[in-house]
Amino acid sequence: MQRIDNFKSIIDKYKVVFFDAFGVLKNYEGLLPGIERTFAYLEEQGKEYYIVTNDASRSPVELAESYHRGGLKFINPNRIVSSGMLTKEYLDLKVKEGIVAYLGTRNSAHYIESSGLKTLPVSEINESNIDKVNALAFLDDEGFDWSKDLNKTVNLIRKRTIPVIVANTDRAYPLTISDVSIAIGGIAAMIESVVGKQFIRFGKPDSQMFMFAYDLVRAQRPVSKSEIVMVGDTLNTDILGGNKFGLDTVLVLSGNTLSKNLDTVITATGIVPTYICESAVIDNDGLGF
Amino acid sequence: MQRIDNFKSIIDKYKVVFFDAFGVLKNYEGLLPGIERTFAYLEEQGKEYYIVTNDASRSPVELAESYHRGGLKFINPNRIVSSGMLTKEYLDLKVKEGIVAYLGTRNSAHYIESSGLKTLPVSEINESNIDKVNALAFLDDEGFDWSKDLNKTVNLIRKRTIPVIVANTDRAYPLTISDVSIAIGGIAAMIESVVGKQFIRFGKPDSQMFMFAYDLVRAQRPVSKSEIVMVGDTLNTDILGGNKFGLDTVLVLSGNTLSKNLDTVITATGIVPTYICESAVIDNDGLGF
Amino acid sequence: MQRIDNFKSIIDKYKVVFFDAFGVLKNYEGLLPGIERTFAYLEEQGKEYYIVTNDASRSPVELAESYHRGGLKFINPNRIVSSGMLTKEYLDLKVKEGIVAYLGTRNSAHYIESSGLKTLPVSEINESNIDKVNALAFLDDEGFDWSKDLNKTVNLIRKRTIPVIVANTDRAYPLTISDVSIAIGGIAAMIESVVGKQFIRFGKPDSQMFMFAYDLVRAQRPVSKSEIVMVGDTLNTDILGGNKFGLDTVLVLSGNTLSKNLDTVITATGIVPTYICESAVIDNDGLGF
Amino acid sequence: MQRIDNFKSIIDKYKVVFFDAFGVLKNYEGLLPGIERTFAYLEEQGKEYYIVTNDASRSPVELAESYHRGGLKFINPNRIVSSGMLTKEYLDLKVKEGIVAYLGTRNSAHYIESSGLKTLPVSEINESNIDKVNALAFLDDEGFDWSKDLNKTVNLIRKRTIPVIVANTDRAYPLTISDVSIAIGGIAAMIESVVGKQFIRFGKPDSQMFMFAYDLVRAQRPVSKSEIVMVGDTLNTDILGGNKFGLDTVLVLSGNTLSKNLDTVITATGIVPTYICESAVIDNDGLGF
């Protein structure tokens, strides 16, 4: 039987904390009650913290605003590392000109635009502009007609030998306590198997997400990987990725991983967190759960 | 370099011929010009023939009618073995009562209905009938709202531990000379990876398709597998499946497999047809190409 | 919570019973105590029965002898359907001449030999005979030097475009109560991924195994699939394969599937047996467990 | 048709060059004739260079010595980034005590040892020390008995919930002009599928390899990803990984990728290098091929 640790005493041991967003700070009902106390404590103790999230549907500015609206004032945009930011870095470095076709909302596309690049929804690709399409990005599961635009996407990839970027590796995400929704990562995997080409994926558990956050930290001050702890609710993204990058890891039971299956899934997957906590919320008297 | 054989001289060696449909008898423009001569010859010679097709979108009666409309009068419904028929056999044997939810057109669902079973499109599943859903069938890529109904499908499978049948294993199908369309088999593979459960697939290369046809032949008269030849345009369905079932196989170059890639793909996949022909059309003077 | 059924009352409902071997009739300690009572009852009632096993290491004659030595006199060779027999049928139909190279014991190769075919262990393939090798068969995990002969196998498949047959789809098999052994199916999957070619697999859950047994039954008398029940200990071979073929299925808890995980694995995999029994042993007073 | 570029004029545009080893600097016959001119030129021009290699069989010191013996004096150990070094970093950060069991030569294990950790070949694991095994590493395909030790490995992983590290992701490596050998990455993939657990893989195309090298460069002086070019012979490791990390890439035709298949494989995989060169050798007059 796994031991349940006290979250506050864990963060006391590290200088930097990386948090997953969904299932850790918030769920389908909004922010976890009391999560602001955790960030107040981190601020008070002078710890660094970052949100490391497989979310490419919005820019860091918009993501931060959603935390503010929920009452969590501490999170500002430069604390957020998203798979969308890696997509933007990739496009800046590797695609100098032309059009980036995308699947997602118009909003999801705005922040990946840059000086030389124009974004265009797949629905607007036609005979006259297809030859200028130099990359394709899977950004969000909303904002397009699945049947029409996914078929169009398949034929675009068959006709143009261009990089295809998947800005979110998740296959599904929780919608309510009982229902999930297919994520853009699941859709992209289908298209990849239909066209038989290799896509470029950004998102946990891939180490590039952790490296991006680690570089942000080091831009402030030198820090070793052993001084950082990753907090997440999902074994095969947060914990596998954190472990592989060399970080200590905390599995919290407030999201995807349920207390009742804990031993079974850890043994079955072989993915072992350094610590296990009920949640990332520190209780009122500062003692943690 | 592969040798190109004469189709007529091949069928002279066998008592029974199995044909794939798309890419062999017809393509996106309709029936292959001259294909009626092949069937006239088969009739004249007293050979048995069957169409063995990964098509669950229509009943054998409707499939036969489409050949008749195209001018190929020889094909009658009892000559057609489709993956939809295997789906119907499965439901008859294994699901005795309740509702079969489906993705596809209403038409695709009609012929799988039977005395004890009611079919219902996924879009009409709701709180009041979900507990009566005893099976789910992926029938066709048309007839439903991909975004809404695929998400509903994922949640149905998460809530009900029921058999899920994929009535067509193909990932894509040709639409025009340059474009393809995602097939229901590709969609089903996405849903399978999102929910993590094992679906039941009917369609070539699975041997159950060939067995169904073989049983039809043997119901007429005793025949050995060595007296049957399978004709198809796709290495990893028609030829792989035919070979595995123990049949001799003919790859025709009128569909998915192109002459220019022939040696490369045979070497790369390791799937070797017994014969290779330009097409299944016998030329005017009966000499074949 | 799953209901546990009485094995005897189940077989009373069917005319024919298919049994998996390992985990159902025997385990690493030998035959299950009392299993002979089950076969005495089947004989007494005039039921047909067949052993359907993913075992290509020995001929049906040798397999039957091993049951006889254990005290189960009822099993004779024509009651046994093995994946090795499908391999032999394939070679008889599809490979008319030359050499069949193999990985396995010499014994495992003998019974797949036929008039036109010579078998040769991979270790004896050399410059002078490699061009006569017209097929390769993975038969058993013993009888060869893994390091030397698997590397040789990879290079044989790269040089010769020939059918590669995997005569046992299992990835591992139990050796003792706590240990397993890598099976030839697991080894073959590695070689397949290294060479990137598509192998031909025989064994449950593939329907060809069930069809072979079904044909044997029908050679005796007409029987419908609804009159046959498949008994097995493994969800993703025996039960998935039996269900897909249209048979009713019994999961027994005397092998791979443990009572404590039952609900979890059935829900997780979506593979649902028609019945669940402690074992296939009928107790002394004929009442079943 | 792809354009062939001049290697010298490419490296003139970058400040740092990353080289793959096998297929770029050397092949099965030893160092590529003339490759020392490339390094002489890099030194002369004051460019930084690193060898980024999926090789965990030897330490950087030993790898450097092998270049020296071949006549390439420029390569010193701190120029080499191997997947074995990532394995060592992982063990240093994440496994503080106990035994690291390994598959490989004794030599491959020495350099991953550190203060708190003892390495032990899988062959020497027994009842008395198995509980102290806190990690398992796949290092090299030599140095152990495949049949005996791979079966032992499967059972070790089933009994101990520990991190399993694969220090080389390659499935195979070239042995002679016509033959390949199964690599430890191929063996590890088989074991992973047999035990059903998730292993930790180090090696291209994973970005952690590139990050490790990038960190070494930045420890010397600030450099942007746009000033680095990756040179490799393999599309799905060197080029895919380099592209994803945001580097420009050069595919050389002196190894795995052959000139005659070039357009076909680039179109089929969708992996597009920035440049294509015959080789990384600069010709005598400094003009490049």
Side-chain angles (χ1 to χ4, degrees):
Chain A
M1 197 55 188
Q2 302 289 339
R3 197 170 56 89
I4 300 295
D5 301 284
N6 177 293
F7 187 68
K8 185 165 165 293
S9 67
I10 292 167
I11 55 178
D12 284 345
K13 297 188 222 168
Y14 296 88
K15 291 191 180 155
V16 183
V17 187
F18 289 172
F19 290 95
D20 177 36
F22 208 94
V24 178
L25 309 185
K26 57 184 179 179
N27 63 23
Y28 41 86
E29 295 182 312
L31 288 176
L32 255 64
I35 193 70
E36 68 282 0
R37 287 196 299 274
T38 299
F39 287 89
Y41 183 73
L42 289 164
E43 284 286 337
E44 182 193 307
Q45 300 289 318
K47 310 272 183 189
E48 294 279 332
Y49 52 88
Y50 289 86
I51 318 297
V52 181
T53 175
N54 282 3
D55 189 337
S57 68
R58 287 179 289 178
S59 70
V61 169
E62 291 168 301
L63 287 170
E65 277 166 7
S66 79
Y67 287 103
H68 296 180
R69 279 195 303 275
L72 191 53
K73 303 295 182 195
F74 298 105
I75 314 286
N76 59 53
N78 57 16
R79 297 287 194 181
I80 296 177
V81 175
S82 76
S83 48
M85 292 164 69
L86 292 183
T87 302
K88 178 168 174 46
E89 187 200 35
Y90 176 88
L91 294 171
D92 287 346
L93 282 163
K94 296 286 295 177
V95 184
K96 312 291 189 197
E97 55 177 19
I99 293 170
V100 179
Y102 70 89
L103 289 168
T105 61
R106 279 181 196 272
N107 211 22
S108 69
H110 283 170
Y111 78 101
I112 63 166
E113 292 200 338
S114 60
S115 52
L117 287 178
K118 187 179 177 319
T119 59
L120 203 67
V122 163
S123 61
E124 294 177 18
I125 304 296
N126 57 39
E127 291 290 305
S128 75
N129 58 25
I130 189 170
D131 288 336
K132 295 188 202 102
V133 176
N134 287 336
L136 169 69
F138 287 82
L139 298 177
D140 199 356
D141 59 294
E142 296 186 334
F144 61 95
D145 179 323
W146 284 26
S147 166
K148 203 160 136 281
D149 292 343
L150 292 180
N151 276 309
K152 211 167 164 184
T153 298
V154 164
N155 288 299
L156 170 65
I157 301 171
R158 292 174 73 245
K159 285 166 191 168
R160 299 278 299 145
T161 301
I162 53 175
V164 180
I165 302 102
V166 185
N168 180 342
T169 48
D170 296 347
R171 298 274 166 123
Y173 59 91
L175 205 62
T176 67
I177 196 162
S178 62
D179 283 5
V180 302
S181 195
I182 301 169
I184 190 67
I187 294 171
M190 171 177 70
I191 305 294
E192 196 176 27
S193 90
V194 167
V195 298
K197 295 191 182 184
Q198 190 121 23
F199 295 174
I200 290 173
R201 286 191 157 64
F202 292 114
K204 294 168 288 179
D206 191 84
S207 43
Q208 212 155 333
M209 283 288 282
F210 295 94
M211 183 195 173
F212 199 100
Y214 186 39
D215 270 357
L216 289 184
V217 180
R218 289 189 297 177
Q220 309 294 318
R221 55 166 164 171
V223 66
S224 144
K225 286 181 177 180
S226 62
E227 296 169 313
I228 306 175
V229 68
M230 170 73 203
V231 184
D233 71 318
T234 309
L235 283 171
N236 61 8
T237 56
D238 306 313
I239 306 304
L240 178 64
N243 281 348
K244 185 184 169 188
F245 192 65
L247 308 184
D248 283 349
T249 49
V250 182
L251 178 74
V252 289
L253 304 176
S254 50
N256 273 328
T257 310
L258 302 180
S259 181
K260 63 169 180 160
N261 303 326
L262 198 53
D263 293 278
T264 309
V265 294
I266 287 177
T267 308
T269 60
I271 305 171
V272 187
T274 318
Y275 312 98
I276 298 168
C277 293
E278 289 297 342
S279 85
V281 174
I282 295 179
D283 64 10
N284 263 319
D285 51 11
L287 295 173
F289 277 88
Chain B
M1 198 55 187
Q2 303 288 338
R3 197 171 56 89
I4 300 295
D5 300 285
N6 177 292
F7 187 69
K8 184 164 165 295
S9 67
I10 292 167
I11 55 178
D12 284 346
K13 297 188 224 167
Y14 298 87
K15 290 190 180 157
V16 183
V17 187
F18 290 172
F19 290 95
D20 177 36
F22 209 92
V24 178
L25 308 185
K26 57 183 178 181
N27 62 24
Y28 40 86
E29 296 181 312
L31 288 175
L32 255 66
I35 194 68
E36 69 281 0
R37 287 196 298 274
T38 299
F39 288 87
Y41 183 74
L42 289 165
E43 285 285 338
E44 181 193 308
Q45 299 290 318
K47 309 270 184 190
E48 295 278 333
Y49 50 88
Y50 290 85
I51 318 298
V52 180
T53 175
N54 283 2
D55 189 337
S57 68
R58 287 179 289 177
S59 69
V61 170
E62 292 167 302
L63 287 169
E65 278 166 6
S66 79
Y67 287 103
H68 297 179
R69 280 194 301 275
L72 192 52
K73 304 295 180 193
F74 298 105
I75 313 286
N76 58 54
N78 57 18
R79 296 288 194 181
I80 296 178
V81 175
S82 75
S83 47
M85 291 164 69
L86 291 183
T87 303
K88 178 166 173 48
E89 187 200 35
Y90 176 89
L91 294 171
D92 286 347
L93 283 164
K94 297 285 297 177
V95 184
K96 311 291 187 197
E97 55 178 18
I99 294 169
V100 178
Y102 69 89
L103 290 168
T105 61
R106 280 181 196 272
N107 212 20
S108 69
H110 283 168
Y111 77 101
I112 63 166
E113 292 199 339
S114 59
S115 52
L117 287 178
K118 189 181 177 318
T119 59
L120 203 68
V122 163
S123 60
E124 295 178 18
I125 303 297
N126 56 39
E127 291 290 305
S128 75
N129 58 25
I130 190 170
D131 287 338
K132 295 188 202 100
V133 175
N134 286 336
L136 169 69
F138 286 82
L139 298 176
D140 199 357
D141 59 293
E142 296 185 333
F144 62 95
D145 179 323
W146 284 26
S147 166
K148 202 160 136 281
D149 291 344
L150 292 179
N151 276 308
K152 209 165 164 186
T153 299
V154 164
N155 289 299
L156 170 64
I157 301 172
R158 292 174 73 245
K159 286 167 190 167
R160 299 278 299 146
T161 301
I162 52 174
V164 180
I165 302 102
V166 185
N168 179 342
T169 49
D170 296 347
R171 298 273 165 124
Y173 58 92
L175 205 63
T176 68
I177 196 163
S178 63
D179 283 5
V180 302
S181 194
I182 302 168
I184 191 67
I187 293 171
M190 171 177 69
I191 305 294
E192 195 176 27
S193 89
V194 167
V195 298
K197 295 191 182 184
Q198 189 121 24
F199 295 175
I200 290 173
R201 286 191 158 64
F202 293 115
K204 295 169 285 180
D206 191 84
S207 44
Q208 211 154 334
M209 282 289 281
F210 296 94
M211 182 194 174
F212 199 100
Y214 187 39
D215 270 358
L216 289 184
V217 180
R218 291 189 295 176
Q220 310 294 318
R221 53 165 165 171
V223 67
S224 144
K225 288 181 177 180
S226 62
E227 296 169 313
I228 306 175
V229 68
M230 168 73 205
V231 184
D233 71 320
T234 308
L235 283 171
N236 60 7
T237 55
D238 306 314
I239 306 305
L240 178 63
N243 281 347
K244 184 183 169 189
F245 193 66
L247 308 184
D248 283 350
T249 50
V250 182
L251 179 73
V252 291
L253 304 176
S254 51
N256 273 327
T257 310
L258 302 180
S259 180
K260 63 169 180 157
N261 302 327
L262 198 53
D263 292 278
T264 308
V265 294
I266 288 176
T267 309
T269 59
I271 305 170
V272 187
T274 318
Y275 312 97
I276 297 167
C277 292
E278 289 297 343
S279 85
V281 174
I282 294 180
D283 66 9
N284 263 317
D285 52 10
L287 293 172
F289 279 89
Chain C
M1 197 54 187
Q2 302 290 338
R3 197 169 58 88
I4 299 295
D5 300 285
N6 177 292
F7 187 68
K8 185 165 164 295
S9 67
I10 292 167
I11 56 179
D12 284 345
K13 298 189 224 167
Y14 297 88
K15 290 191 180 154
V16 182
V17 188
F18 289 172
F19 290 95
D20 176 38
F22 209 93
V24 177
L25 308 185
K26 58 184 178 179
N27 63 22
Y28 41 88
E29 294 182 314
L31 288 175
L32 255 65
I35 194 70
E36 69 282 359
R37 288 196 299 274
T38 299
F39 288 88
Y41 182 74
L42 290 165
E43 286 284 338
E44 182 193 307
Q45 300 289 319
K47 310 271 184 190
E48 293 280 331
Y49 51 87
Y50 288 86
I51 318 297
V52 180
T53 175
N54 282 3
D55 189 338
S57 68
R58 287 177 291 176
S59 70
V61 170
E62 291 166 302
L63 288 169
E65 277 167 7
S66 79
Y67 288 103
H68 297 177
R69 279 195 303 274
L72 191 54
K73 304 296 181 191
F74 298 104
I75 315 285
N76 59 54
N78 57 17
R79 296 287 195 182
I80 296 177
V81 175
S82 76
S83 48
M85 290 164 70
L86 292 182
T87 302
K88 178 166 174 47
E89 187 200 36
Y90 176 89
L91 294 171
D92 286 347
L93 282 163
K94 296 286 294 178
V95 184
K96 312 291 189 196
E97 56 176 17
I99 294 169
V100 178
Y102 70 89
L103 290 168
T105 61
R106 280 181 195 273
N107 211 22
S108 68
H110 283 168
Y111 78 101
I112 62 167
E113 292 199 338
S114 59
S115 53
L117 288 178
K118 187 180 176 318
T119 59
L120 203 68
V122 163
S123 60
E124 294 179 18
I125 304 296
N126 55 41
E127 290 290 304
S128 76
N129 58 25
I130 189 169
D131 288 337
K132 295 188 202 101
V133 175
N134 286 337
L136 169 69
F138 287 82
L139 298 176
D140 198 358
D141 59 292
E142 297 186 333
F144 62 94
D145 179 323
W146 284 26
S147 166
K148 202 159 137 280
D149 291 343
L150 292 179
N151 276 308
K152 211 167 164 185
T153 298
V154 164
N155 289 299
L156 170 65
I157 300 171
R158 293 174 72 245
K159 285 166 192 169
R160 297 279 298 147
T161 301
I162 52 173
V164 179
I165 302 103
V166 184
N168 179 342
T169 48
D170 296 347
R171 297 273 164 121
Y173 59 91
L175 204 63
T176 67
I177 196 163
S178 62
D179 283 6
V180 301
S181 194
I182 301 169
I184 191 68
I187 294 171
M190 171 176 71
I191 304 295
E192 195 177 27
S193 89
V194 167
V195 297
K197 296 192 182 182
Q198 190 121 24
F199 295 174
I200 290 172
R201 286 193 156 62
F202 292 114
K204 293 169 287 181
D206 190 83
S207 43
Q208 211 155 335
M209 282 289 281
F210 296 93
M211 184 195 174
F212 199 100
Y214 187 40
D215 270 359
L216 289 184
V217 180
R218 290 189 296 177
Q220 310 293 318
R221 53 163 167 174
V223 68
S224 144
K225 286 182 178 180
S226 63
E227 297 169 313
I228 306 175
V229 67
M230 170 72 204
V231 183
D233 71 320
T234 308
L235 284 171
N236 62 6
T237 56
D238 306 313
I239 306 305
L240 178 64
N243 281 347
K244 185 183 169 189
F245 192 66
L247 308 184
D248 284 350
T249 49
V250 182
L251 179 73
V252 291
L253 304 176
S254 50
N256 273 328
T257 310
L258 302 180
S259 181
K260 62 168 181 161
N261 302 325
L262 198 54
D263 292 277
T264 308
V265 294
I266 287 176
T267 309
T269 59
I271 305 170
V272 187
T274 318
Y275 312 98
I276 297 167
C277 293
E278 289 297 341
S279 85
V281 174
I282 294 179
D283 66 10
N284 262 317
D285 50 12
L287 295 172
F289 278 90
Chain D
M1 197 55 185
Q2 303 290 338
R3 197 171 56 90
I4 300 295
D5 300 285
N6 176 293
F7 188 68
K8 186 165 163 293
S9 67
I10 292 167
I11 55 178
D12 284 345
K13 298 188 223 168
Y14 297 88
K15 290 193 180 153
V16 183
V17 188
F18 290 171
F19 289 96
D20 176 37
F22 209 93
V24 177
L25 309 184
K26 59 184 178 179
N27 62 23
Y28 42 86
E29 294 181 314
L31 289 175
L32 255 64
I35 194 68
E36 67 283 358
R37 287 196 300 273
T38 299
F39 287 88
Y41 182 73
L42 289 165
E43 286 284 339
E44 183 193 307
Q45 300 289 319
K47 310 270 184 189
E48 293 280 332
Y49 51 88
Y50 289 86
I51 318 298
V52 181
T53 174
N54 282 3
D55 189 337
S57 69
R58 286 178 290 176
S59 69
V61 170
E62 292 166 302
L63 287 170
E65 277 167 7
S66 79
Y67 287 103
H68 297 181
R69 278 194 304 274
L72 191 53
K73 303 295 181 194
F74 297 105
I75 314 286
N76 58 53
N78 57 18
R79 297 287 194 182
I80 296 177
V81 175
S82 75
S83 49
M85 291 164 70
L86 292 182
T87 302
K88 178 168 175 46
E89 187 200 34
Y90 176 88
L91 294 171
D92 287 347
L93 283 164
K94 297 285 296 177
V95 184
K96 311 291 189 198
E97 55 177 18
I99 294 169
V100 178
Y102 70 89
L103 290 168
T105 61
R106 279 180 196 273
N107 212 21
S108 69
H110 283 168
Y111 78 101
I112 62 166
E113 292 200 338
S114 59
S115 52
L117 287 178
K118 187 178 176 321
T119 59
L120 203 67
V122 163
S123 60
E124 295 178 18
I125 304 296
N126 56 41
E127 291 289 306
S128 76
N129 57 27
I130 189 170
D131 288 337
K132 296 188 201 102
V133 176
N134 287 336
L136 169 69
F138 286 82
L139 299 176
D140 198 357
D141 59 293
E142 297 186 334
F144 61 94
D145 179 322
W146 284 26
S147 166
K148 203 161 135 277
D149 291 343
L150 292 179
N151 276 308
K152 212 167 162 184
T153 298
V154 164
N155 288 300
L156 170 65
I157 300 171
R158 293 175 73 245
K159 287 167 191 167
R160 299 277 299 145
T161 301
I162 51 173
V164 179
I165 302 102
V166 184
N168 180 342
T169 49
D170 297 346
R171 297 272 165 124
Y173 58 93
L175 205 62
T176 68
I177 197 163
S178 62
D179 283 5
V180 302
S181 194
I182 301 169
I184 191 68
I187 294 171
M190 170 177 70
I191 305 293
E192 196 176 27
S193 89
V194 167
V195 296
K197 296 192 182 182
Q198 189 120 26
F199 296 174
I200 290 172
R201 287 193 156 61
F202 293 114
K204 294 169 286 180
D206 190 84
S207 44
Q208 212 155 334
M209 283 289 282
F210 295 94
M211 183 195 174
F212 199 101
Y214 187 39
D215 270 358
L216 288 184
V217 180
R218 290 189 296 177
Q220 309 293 318
R221 54 164 166 172
V223 67
S224 143
K225 286 181 177 181
S226 63
E227 297 170 311
I228 306 175
V229 68
M230 169 73 205
V231 184
D233 70 320
T234 308
L235 283 171
N236 61 6
T237 56
D238 306 314
I239 306 306
L240 177 65
N243 282 347
K244 185 184 169 187
F245 192 66
L247 308 184
D248 284 350
T249 49
V250 182
L251 178 73
V252 290
L253 304 176
S254 50
N256 273 329
T257 311
L258 301 180
S259 182
K260 63 169 179 159
N261 302 326
L262 198 53
D263 292 278
T264 309
V265 293
I266 287 176
T267 307
T269 60
I271 305 170
V272 187
T274 319
Y275 312 97
I276 298 167
C277 293
E278 290 297 341
S279 85
V281 174
I282 294 179
D283 66 8
N284 262 319
D285 50 12
L287 295 172
F289 278 89

